Amino acid sequence: MREHSRKGPWWLEPLSHFVLLLAVAFALYPVLWVVSLALDGVQRPVARAIPWPESPSLDNFRAIIFARGNTGEWLFGRQLANSILVSAATALTAIAIATPAAYALARFPSFVGAKGGTKALLATQMFPGVASAVPLYMLLDKLRLLDTRSGLVLVYATTAVPFAIFQLRGAFETIPKDLEEAAMVDGATRFQAFVKVVLPAARPALAVTALFAFMSAWNEFILAATFLSRESAFTLPVALQRHVGEYDAAWGKFAAGSIIVSVPVMALFYALQKHLVGGLTSGGVKG
Amino acid sequence: MTVPSRAVATLSLRAIRKVLGSNAILKGIDLEVSAGEFVVLVGPSGCGKSTLLRTIAGLETPDEGAITLGGKDVTRAEPRERDIAMVFQSYALYPHLTVRDNLAFGLRLRGESEATVKARVEEVSQMLGLGALLDRYPRDMSGGQRQRVAMGRAIARRPKLFLFDEPLSNLDAALRNQVRVEIKKLHATLDATMIYVTHDQVEAMTLADQLVVLNGGKVEQKGPPLEVYARPASRFVAGFLGSPSMNFADARVSDDGATAVAEGLRAPIDRQRFSGLERGRAVVVGIRPHDVTVRRGESSAQGYRDGAQPAEISVPVDVVEAMGFEAYAHGQVAGAAFVARVEGRPDELPRRGETLALSVEAANVHLFDPETGRSLAESKS
């Protein structure tokens, strides 16, 4: 943190705080609206300057959380589990595949196919996932993976892995080679140096990359809506969307659902924030 | 402090060659390091000294040649199989480990028992005064402390051979002097074989038992530092060691063979060292700034008094740098820059525009071949 400086006229500080407050209000206003809608019994948004629920209740949350399917099963539980499993599996797959790939690209950038492979990976990032929705649908159909969690994980991994490779390659490149060499002179094999020195040094980057993969899978809607048709197979975004039908929009439930969907991501951010703070490698080499 | 005896190893390099891309980095290096010796590899950047050190460590593989460590051929051995320790210029401390775990890292990898690990960490932290730092992380320490930990990590392993890659270059000047002395002490305490890379000639001169001057991937000269300083084998070595560096001037051997002459220069030749020089032969004369004495009361080469020898060197002074205890007078001799160290009170120092009359002893005159740059001295062996 920079030392607090007292330079400039006296009104500069209050003014900057005021401007910052405005910015925060601007950013949070829509969120406040969502919260107010979720806590209101009324399903239709009323335009008001101050977002405050007319008749505060938790009915919307109850309706979402305790919703039951036609067969009487606990839908929300199923869908929440689907979302968590699919997102976590996507993050794990992305990290597991991308970590060795990125390390290889960062440390041995001239192996056969490194350049072409990198370009091919980049190319996959240029197309939106929706562009391949139809062929993917056909593929999953042939593989009998429609309406399954593993099918969805497979599809999400195809975009998450290249992205993770780029992220991690950058991270590995910033880790000084000296560290691995020191470990190897100290008695480690290259693999041990990788596991005992490089991976711990790359922990912040691994955490961020995993979080990104998790979040993109958690929030993804279009592909999930395309490949899933059974309510019990839905992920939360798909389930959420069903509350806003063509003829009837239950905005209160939708808002409550949005909040419920956001909570795990916020919790993850909170849990991982110490890893998100960079500079873990600082101090290892030089000053 | 008593330190348990360890396996101290000899190292031998034979015709080491290393090519990176189209660049030959090492062009046939031969080197013998005896047990307990402190060898300093010195040279300008790009001379191959770091590559040579990394080759000894096993981090690079030579394209040709052989490396023997303690009688065992390790040319193709992995770094971990060589039982050496290396202190990196960047220190390369493991950022996610405390000082204690950094020190223990190599020991644990080698499967030492926790009791041994604990004892060694204790021993090293006492030796280097790391006790208060053991639970800190590298990021919370100063450069000097990190440097100490890096040395401790090497010592804790009790390796056959220590390698240092410019370990002091990231420290400030005062700390550098202090740690340099500590390394010298450490070498005496540990009685270990050490190879030390630096581009700093003060480190090279003060630390080495054996100095190896590298240039362009080849060994220019090796030997005890004072001998290398006093009898440089080439113009390169002569110019590289010493500060300010040696003065060079193109000259010819006089008709009587007793002096090397050029405009403003008549340098006496030690005919025992430089025997068999043809008359009129072109030579490069090398004279260190510290090896000249000012002849008082003479203002030019012509103006010598009756009975006195003519001044060997006359330097028209352009600039005088006064350092307090001494001064450097800069001028030109035979068309090349010439620096002379002069002593005296401030009012005695030469002034710009004066011509300084200097004398030099034959023992301090070095002669080099203008073509090859090699010394023209008869080699002893």
Side-chain angles (χ1 to χ4, degrees):
Chain A
M1 269 296 203
R2 177 106 34 112
E3 275 287 305
H4 188 77
S5 80
R6 277 238 155 256
K7 280 180 191 164
W10 63 270
W11 45 262
L12 196 64
E13 200 178 305
L15 181 74
S16 58
H17 278 257
F18 179 70
V19 171
L20 287 173
L21 267 176
L22 275 184
V24 169
F26 183 75
L28 282 183
Y29 193 64
V31 179
L32 289 178
W33 257 106
V34 171
V35 174
S36 123
L37 259 176
L39 292 171
D40 208 333
V42 186
Q43 290 299 329
R44 159 184 309 281
V46 185
R48 253 180 314 197
I50 312 245
W52 195 257
E54 228 165 65
S55 48
S57 80
L58 291 173
D59 286 351
N60 288 327
F61 287 94
R62 272 185 217 114
I64 293 279
I65 291 173
F66 300 113
R68 297 212 167 256
N70 300 334
T71 54
E73 61 178 334
W74 184 36
L75 264 185
F76 176 78
R78 269 307 280 266
Q79 291 162 348
L80 178 70
N82 288 342
S83 265
I84 290 176
L85 280 172
V86 166
S87 306
T90 303
L92 279 178
T93 312
I95 291 292
I97 297 178
T99 303
Y103 180 72
L105 285 172
R107 281 297 186 259
F108 315 101
S110 50
F111 68 81
V112 178
K115 273 212 172 123
T118 314
K119 276 184 193 152
L121 286 177
L122 197 62
T124 66
Q125 295 290 290
M126 296 194 300
F127 301 101
V130 197
S132 50
V134 174
L136 281 174
Y137 185 94
M138 281 152 46
L139 270 173
L140 289 182
D141 189 26
K142 281 261 188 274
L143 294 168
R144 298 175 185 279
L145 288 173
L146 282 176
D147 259 333
T148 64
R149 290 185 286 246
S150 36
L152 209 53
V153 170
L154 211 58
V155 171
Y156 288 165
T158 58
T159 51
V161 167
F163 181 74
I165 290 177
F166 283 111
Q167 285 256 307
L168 292 176
R169 184 183 67 168
F172 287 137
E173 277 167 354
T174 64
I175 295 174
K177 260 188 173 169
D178 280 3
L179 286 180
E180 285 155 87
E181 294 183 341
M184 280 158 68
V185 172
D186 262 352
T189 60
R190 182 171 270 284
F191 185 70
Q192 280 176 318
F194 174 65
V195 172
K196 287 178 188 274
V197 173
V198 177
L199 283 187
R203 216 162 48 193
L206 289 170
V208 173
T209 309
L211 187 62
F212 262 69
F214 186 93
M215 270 171 46
S216 55
W218 183 267
N219 293 329
E220 205 285 328
F221 167 72
I222 294 178
L223 292 175
T226 313
F227 302 142
L228 307 175
S229 51
R230 279 185 301 120
E231 265 199 321
S232 62
F234 281 177
T235 54
L236 286 180
V238 182
L240 198 58
Q241 189 267 345
R242 298 291 145 124
H243 293 295
V244 190
E246 207 171 330
Y247 305 108
D248 160 45
W251 287 111
K253 283 187 190 166
F254 186 79
S258 312
I259 291 171
I260 293 170
V261 171
S262 312
V263 165
V265 176
M266 292 198 296
L268 259 183
F269 256 107
Y270 190 78
L272 288 177
Q273 66 177 347
K274 82 170 170 144
H275 297 287
L276 301 179
V277 181
L280 201 72
T281 58
S282 64
V285 298
K286 287 195 196 169
Chain B
M1 171 175 297
T2 55
V3 175
S5 63
R6 69 205 65 226
V8 181
T10 56
L11 172 77
S12 141
L13 305 181
R14 293 255 172 278
I16 298 294
R17 294 178 60 83
K18 175 79 189 171
V19 180
L20 285 179
S22 56
N23 283 352
I25 309 290
L26 302 174
K27 301 172 184 164
I29 305 261
D30 290 295
L31 185 65
E32 292 292 331
V33 180
S34 29
E37 201 172 28
F38 199 125
V39 173
V40 174
L41 307 177
V42 69
S45 48
C47 71
K49 55 189 191 296
S50 281
T51 308
L52 183 59
L53 196 76
R54 292 170 55 80
T55 307
I56 296 170
L59 296 170
E60 308 273 356
T61 314
D63 295 316
E64 285 170 40
I67 306 171
T68 337
L69 181 63
K72 201 177 126 205
D73 184 353
V74 293
T75 315
R76 310 267 152 208
E78 293 286 323
R80 66 174 188 281
E81 295 160 353
R82 303 189 181 205
D83 195 13
I84 51 187
M86 183 157 166
V87 177
F88 290 75
Q89 181 177 6
S90 64
Y91 315 140
L93 300 181
Y94 310 123
H96 59 291
L97 298 180
T98 60
V99 169
R100 189 190 305 279
D101 290 336
N102 262 282
L103 295 177
F105 187 83
L107 297 169
R108 291 197 175 123
L109 272 178
R110 275 157 210 274
E112 301 282 0
S113 71
E114 273 309 302
T116 314
V117 171
K118 209 175 161 219
R120 295 271 190 93
V121 169
E122 186 61 30
E123 173 193 308
V124 169
S125 77
Q126 271 195 12
M127 196 186 297
L128 296 176
L130 296 173
L133 303 175
L134 282 178
D135 293 313
R136 292 224 215 147
Y137 284 92
R139 61 176 172 274
D140 302 325
M141 296 190 297
S142 70
Q145 290 169 329
R146 288 178 204 167
Q147 210 278 341
R148 230 167 241 280
V149 175
M151 291 212 296
R153 191 172 64 185
I155 294 167
R157 286 254 323 280
R158 293 192 189 161
K160 283 188 192 147
L161 177 66
F162 285 87
L163 305 178
F164 294 88
D165 190 5
E166 309 219 16
L168 306 186
S169 52
N170 288 326
L171 301 180
D172 62 50
L175 203 56
R176 203 178 303 158
N177 290 341
Q178 185 192 329
V179 179
R180 198 178 64 224
V181 175
E182 276 176 34
I183 292 179
K184 184 98 178 161
K185 277 190 204 154
L186 213 57
H187 176 241
T189 317
L190 297 172
D191 191 27
T193 316
M194 295 184 171
I195 300 181
Y196 187 106
V197 160
T198 183
H199 63 267
D200 181 300
Q201 48 167 310
V202 179
E203 286 170 35
M205 293 297 295
T206 54
L207 288 171
D209 296 327
Q210 194 188 169
L211 190 62
V212 179
V213 184
L214 291 171
N215 184 30
K218 282 184 174 159
V219 175
E220 283 274 331
Q221 190 175 3
K222 54 193 166 193
L226 291 178
E227 195 181 302
V228 174
Y229 181 83
R231 296 280 176 262
S234 69
R235 179 177 173 164
F236 173 81
V237 175
F240 188 76
L241 293 178
S243 174
S245 83
M246 189 183 273
N247 300 299
F248 297 104
D250 291 319
R252 291 196 174 275
V253 177
S254 65
D255 288 340
D256 60 1
T259 51
V261 289
E263 194 198 334
L265 174 75
R266 187 181 308 142
I269 295 176
D270 177 346
R271 294 220 240 182
Q272 295 214 296
R273 253 172 86 209
F274 303 99
S275 56
L277 292 178
E278 304 154 39
R279 317 281 182 248
R281 185 195 204 287
V283 292
V284 172
V285 175
I287 299 171
R288 292 200 187 278
H290 294 74
D291 286 340
V292 296
T293 42
V294 178
R295 294 166 67 109
R296 303 277 173 205
E298 296 173 24
S299 60
S300 76
Q302 294 85 29
Y304 56 91
R305 291 173 196 152
D306 289 342
Q309 289 292 309
E312 281 93 3
I313 309 160
S314 56
V315 187
V317 177
D318 294 332
V319 176
V320 177
E321 296 177 301
M323 321 282 284
F325 52 98
E326 59 184 9
Y328 295 108
H330 296 254
Q332 297 258 320
V333 170
F338 196 98
V339 184
R341 188 193 65 155
V342 293
E343 285 175 315
R345 298 199 310 271
D347 57 325
E348 291 174 349
L349 292 177
R351 290 192 185 84
R352 181 184 156 79
E354 278 181 16
T355 299
L356 199 57
L358 305 169
S359 61
V360 58
E361 285 177 30
N364 293 325
V365 174
H366 307 269
L367 298 179
F368 303 99
D369 187 306
E371 306 278 303
T372 64
R374 303 303 297 179
S375 172
L376 292 170
E378 295 279 288
S379 58
K380 276 178 268 171
S381 52

